[in-house]
């Protein structure tokens, strides 16, 4: 079998890193990702297939003496993937020094690693995401004492024992309505004990510490009464910390991650930050998780495209290779353009996110950061499903067979529209940002400012100007609607905002790099804005000349 490398074949990812990292950091990242890209495309990919088909996590509820052990078994290959991935610093180097550089890493590098990883194991990128969120919450809001207790383990890179993380929000009666949560926190000395149930708790049994929202006795009802707690899975003696797993969920996809129903019965818990700001803190972590979700979507999109292209290049039909048929070339051309532009756009957002979380963002950038996260999480998740579907169709009947990776891509992609907020929830975020912060005006201002730096005003530029003007008219009307009507229109408006943002990035990279990226920008613009009469099909075919 020919060895693959998911990083070496990705010219656009390499361009992003070269452009955004200083020279020593890029040289380090390039070297590390070359090794990781090969590892993910081969050994980790093989383990992912085994875990999905035959090695799913299993709950060992009771030990041999009949006592509740609530242990989750995972196969040895999965354990090896855990070890190898965390030792790359995918979580740790965001928060601590990279020894070779003697300086701290950033989210851009971490998300590049996550994008490569998700091409083989989008399921395992969920626990990585939860660990990233746990590290974020501890680093930003925990006391020095709690940081010292947990953060080195959550950020472990092989130097100390690893504590994977988890964020437990969902309760049976709550779901997206977090304010309905009822898990209780009862004062016990200087700390608290938790009682109640979390109904959909991912990385259950694998996490060393979980970040949990609970309501202190006597606190107000609703979301404002929730406090954030750090809850170790086991106590210092090694026994369970008043935690048990009722069962693991039988999920459609992302089978690598154990998601369960977790019960707290007197679990020791430590308050993180201001007890009155629990939900606020968790929402900050949720924005990080939403970017991870978009990165996972990009990974699935890339893998689906890779599989479709390789299959059509090797499959004979009607006397020639499938890739020689114009309709096949057009489909792959459209997918290529969409993926490349969406990859560039999400990493454009990540660059802003790095600045905002470092405390260097302006008040406008903080709002735009929230807006871009919402619209790009929604768009990329929907595209992951679309790409997996198209890859199956290009494979024909083989695409529906579990011997190929395409069924798993579709099953794994399906959850990305649900995790970290459905399209409806993201639409509500857009409504809030418009009503409270005039985010629509900031968006238009942002795009206009970026357009002003493009000196060559060609047909691509004119398309973006025209679509921005059209969107601006809709946004002005949208802002004047009553809140109920806004919620009905929010998802469509969010999609159009994502398209304008991507179109802006498309013409910027075409202007800067020319050549292939001019062609990709043309294909993207003409397909996105339904301008097929201008020859987008023919331009798709040029990619294969």
């Amino acid at each position: 079998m020919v060895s693959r490398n998911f990083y070496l074949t990705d010219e656009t990812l390499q361009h992003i890193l070269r452009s955004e990292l200083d020279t020593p950091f890029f040289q380090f990242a390039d070297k590390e990702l070359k090794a990781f890209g090969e590892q993910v495309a081969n050994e980790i990919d093989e383990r992912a297939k085994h875990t999905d088909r035959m090695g799913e996590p299993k709950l060992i509820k009771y030990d041999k003496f009949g006592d509740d052990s609530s242990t989750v078994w995972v196969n040895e290959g999965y354990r090896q993937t855990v070890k190898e991935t965390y030792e790359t610093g995918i979580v740790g180097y965001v928060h601590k020094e990279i020894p070779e550089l003697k300086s701290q890493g950033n989210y851009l590098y971490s998300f590049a690693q996550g994008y490569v990883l998700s091409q083989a194991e989008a399921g395992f990128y969920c626990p990585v995401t939860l660990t990233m969120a746990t590290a974020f919450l501890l680093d930003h809001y925990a006391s020095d004492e709690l940081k010292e207790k947990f953060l080195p383990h959550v950020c472990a890179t092989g130097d100390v024992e690893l504590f994977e993380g988890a964020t437990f929000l969902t309760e049976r009666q709550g779901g997206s309505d977090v304010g309905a949560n009822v898990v209780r926190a009862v004062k016990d000395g200087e700390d608290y004990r938790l009682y109640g149930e979390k109904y959909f708790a991912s990385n259950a049994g694998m996490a060393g510490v979980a970040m949990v929202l609970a309501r202190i006795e006597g606190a107000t009802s609703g979301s404002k009464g929730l406090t954030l707690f750090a809850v170790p899975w086991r106590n210092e003696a090694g026994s369970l910390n008043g935690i048990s797993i009722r069962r693991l969920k039988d999920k459609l996809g992302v089978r690598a991650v154990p998601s369960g129903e977790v019960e707290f019965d007197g679990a020791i818990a430590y308050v993180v930050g201001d007890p009155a700001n629990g939900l606020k803190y968790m929402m900050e972590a949720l924005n990080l998780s939403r970017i991870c979700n978009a990165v996972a979507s990009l990974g699935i999109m890339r893998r689906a495209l890779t599989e479709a292209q390789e299959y059509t290049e090797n499959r004979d039909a009607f006397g020639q290779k499938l890739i020689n048929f114009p309709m096949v070339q057009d489909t792959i051309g459209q997918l290529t353009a969409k993926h490349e532009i969406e990859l560039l756009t999400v990493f454009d957002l990540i660059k802003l996110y790095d600045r905002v979380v470092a405390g260097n963002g302006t008040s406008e950038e903080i709002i735009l950061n929230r807006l871009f996260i919402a619209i790009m999480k929604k768009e990329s998740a929907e595209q992951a499903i679309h790409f997996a579907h198209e890859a199956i169709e290009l494979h024909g009947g083989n695409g529906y067979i579990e011997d190929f990776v395409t069924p798993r891509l579709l099953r794994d992609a399906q959850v990305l529209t649900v995790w970290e907020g459905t399209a409806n929830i993201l639409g509500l975020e857009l409504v809030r940002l418009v009503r409270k912060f005039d985010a629509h005006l900031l968006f238009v201002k942002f795009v206009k400012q970026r357009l002003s730096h493009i000196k060559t005003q060609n047909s691509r530029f004119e398309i973006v100007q025209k679509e921005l003007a059209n969107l601006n008219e809709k946004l002005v009307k949208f802002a004047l609607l009553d809140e109920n009507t806004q919620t009905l229109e929010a998802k469509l408006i969010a999609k159009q905002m994502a398209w304008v943002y991507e179109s802006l990035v498309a013409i910027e990279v075409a202007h800067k790099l020319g050549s292939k990226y001019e062609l990709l920008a043309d294909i993207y613009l003409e397909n996105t804005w339904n301008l097929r009469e201008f020859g987008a099909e023919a331009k798709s075919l040029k990619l294969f000349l």
Side-chain angles (χ1 to χ4, degrees):
M1 186 171 65
V2 178
S3 180
R4 284 174 158 185
N5 190 312
F6 289 155
Y7 174 72
L8 279 180
T9 54
D10 200 323
E11 179 185 341
T12 299
L13 179 61
Q14 294 169 43
H15 159 72
I16 290 167
L17 295 171
R18 189 179 292 109
S19 299
E20 301 304 332
L21 302 178
D22 62 38
T23 300
F25 197 171
F26 170 71
Q27 290 172 344
F28 168 80
D30 187 58
K31 172 176 68 73
E32 293 295 309
L33 281 166
K34 283 175 183 174
F36 193 51
E38 182 174 5
Q39 195 173 31
V40 171
N42 296 284
E43 297 95 334
I44 289 178
D45 189 47
E46 281 298 310
R47 296 174 202 151
K49 180 179 180 180
H50 171 74
T51 297
D52 180 70
R53 300 297 296 154
M54 294 171 285
E56 291 180 59
K58 294 178 176 60
L59 174 62
I60 302 174
K61 180 63 176 170
Y62 300 103
D63 66 17
K64 61 185 178 182
F65 298 107
D67 296 324
D68 188 343
S69 64
S70 287
T71 300
V72 173
W73 173 90
V74 294
N75 67 71
E76 287 304 313
Y78 181 88
R79 289 190 180 278
Q80 187 65 20
T81 295
V82 170
K83 178 179 185 297
E84 291 170 355
T85 300
Y86 284 107
E87 288 184 2
T88 68
I90 193 170
V91 175
Y93 290 155
V94 176
H95 301 274
K96 68 182 185 182
E97 184 180 276
I98 300 172
E100 292 92 324
L101 299 178
K102 293 184 169 44
S103 61
Q104 190 171 308
N106 60 19
Y107 279 108
L108 189 136
Y109 174 51
S110 173
F111 285 131
Q113 295 171 294
Y115 163 61
V116 171
L117 174 64
S118 296
Q119 292 176 51
E121 185 55 289
F124 173 56
Y125 192 47
C126 170
V128 172
T129 295
L130 297 173
T131 307
M132 289 174 69
T134 299
F136 174 92
L137 290 167
L138 290 169
D139 198 13
H140 282 78
Y141 305 118
S143 65
D144 290 341
E145 182 182 1
L146 278 183
K147 285 182 187 178
E148 185 178 348
K149 185 179 182 69
F150 295 121
L151 194 57
H153 295 286
V154 175
C155 293
T157 52
D159 47 345
V160 296
E161 181 186 1
L162 171 67
F163 288 180
E164 287 191 78
T167 56
F168 293 168
L169 288 81
T170 306
E171 298 183 15
R172 194 183 311 207
Q173 77 292 337
S176 297
D177 182 10
V178 179
N181 283 5
V182 296
V183 167
R184 295 182 298 122
V186 179
K187 187 74 172 170
D188 182 13
E190 295 190 4
D191 300 310
Y192 288 82
R193 291 188 179 272
L194 301 191
Y195 298 87
E197 173 201 56
K198 294 294 181 179
Y199 192 63
F200 199 104
S202 287
N203 217 22
M206 300 298 293
V209 58
M211 310 305 287
V212 181
L213 286 178
R215 197 178 306 279
I216 294 174
E217 285 191 316
T220 183
S221 61
S223 59
K224 292 181 180 179
L226 295 172
T227 297
L228 181 65
F229 294 89
V231 185
W233 195 264
R234 295 184 179 274
N235 59 35
E236 292 182 1
S239 58
L240 289 170
N241 174 32
I243 298 174
S244 64
I245 302 173
R246 180 186 292 127
R247 62 174 175 172
L248 296 183
K249 303 291 192 181
D250 186 7
K251 304 192 300 292
L252 171 68
V254 289
R255 293 172 175 168
V257 53
S259 301
E261 297 168 13
V262 172
E263 293 179 316
F264 299 102
D265 186 17
I268 287 288
Y270 307 98
V271 173
V272 175
D274 184 341
N277 286 334
L279 185 62
K280 176 184 175 183
Y281 299 151
M282 195 66 96
M283 290 302 100
E284 290 297 324
L286 184 65
N287 272 331
L288 168 59
S289 299
R290 284 174 175 169
I291 300 177
C292 291
N293 200 100
V295 166
S297 296
L298 287 167
I300 288 179
M301 290 164 66
R302 174 74 180 185
R303 182 66 184 278
L305 178 57
T306 298
E307 295 294 326
Q309 189 151 2
E310 288 185 0
Y311 186 83
T312 56
E313 285 172 352
N314 289 283
R315 176 71 169 175
D316 290 306
F318 306 105
Q320 57 182 312
K321 302 296 183 186
L322 282 177
I323 196 67
N324 293 329
F325 289 96
M327 284 189 292
V328 172
Q329 292 180 356
D330 185 38
T331 298
I332 291 180
Q334 290 181 50
L335 295 176
T336 300
K338 178 65 176 179
H339 172 264
E340 296 284 297
I341 300 307
E342 199 148 280
L343 175 66
L344 287 157
T345 305
V346 169
F347 275 86
D348 187 76
L349 154 64
I350 290 166
K351 181 170 61 173
L352 172 62
Y353 180 77
D354 255 321
R355 191 159 65 249
V356 168
V357 294
N360 299 322
T362 65
S363 58
E364 288 189 1
E365 286 177 329
I366 291 169
I367 301 306
L368 286 170
N369 178 59
R370 284 178 58 182
L371 175 67
F372 292 156
I373 288 171
I375 64 176
M376 293 312 302
K377 187 275 183 187
K378 175 181 177 297
E379 178 67 13
S380 58
E382 291 168 357
Q383 288 300 316
I385 296 171
H386 172 65
F387 271 60
H389 158 78
E390 289 286 0
I392 288 174
E393 185 166 333
L394 286 166
H395 279 70
N398 279 336
Y400 203 65
I401 306 301
E402 293 284 354
D403 290 343
F404 293 81
V405 73
T406 41
R408 174 159 62 91
L409 294 179
L410 183 60
R411 286 188 278 106
D412 287 356
Q414 195 67 54
V415 79
L416 295 171
T417 58
V418 177
W419 271 351
E420 319 309 338
T422 63
N424 288 335
I425 293 298
L426 297 168
L428 292 176
E429 171 76 339
L430 171 60
V431 171
R432 279 191 297 270
L433 292 172
V434 168
R435 295 183 73 85
K436 191 171 181 180
F437 301 107
D438 287 333
H440 59 301
L441 302 179
L442 298 180
F443 177 83
V444 173
K445 177 183 174 183
F446 166 85
V447 177
K448 285 182 176 178
Q449 284 179 337
R450 292 266 288 257
L451 285 174
S452 70
H453 297 302
I454 300 175
K455 303 306 179 186
T456 305
Q457 299 188 7
N458 52 21
S459 59
R460 297 183 202 100
F461 186 93
E462 290 169 1
I463 290 171
V464 179
Q465 265 198 330
K466 176 187 173 184
E467 296 305 333
L468 176 62
N470 291 340
L471 176 61
N472 187 39
E473 287 184 18
K474 293 177 182 178
L475 286 171
V476 170
K477 294 176 182 177
F478 178 77
L480 296 174
L481 296 172
D482 64 88
E483 190 169 0
N484 284 338
T485 308
Q486 282 180 332
T487 63
L488 296 176
E489 302 292 334
K491 288 190 287 186
L492 179 58
I493 288 288
K495 178 173 283 293
Q496 292 173 335
M497 293 175 84
W499 289 352
V500 167
Y501 185 16
E502 290 183 349
S503 297
L504 167 67
V505 172
I507 65 171
E508 284 179 331
V509 73
H511 178 70
K512 182 177 181 180
L513 298 182
S515 186
K516 179 184 83 168
Y517 291 96
E518 291 180 324
L519 184 56
L520 290 172
D522 285 342
I523 297 168
Y524 174 85
L525 292 171
E526 293 173 11
N527 280 293
T528 299
W529 301 111
N530 198 25
L531 305 172
R532 300 284 284 177
E533 65 268 25
F534 292 118
E537 297 95 333
K539 288 174 181 173
S540 290
L541 305 189
K542 285 184 182 179
L543 286 172
F544 301 93
L545 295 178

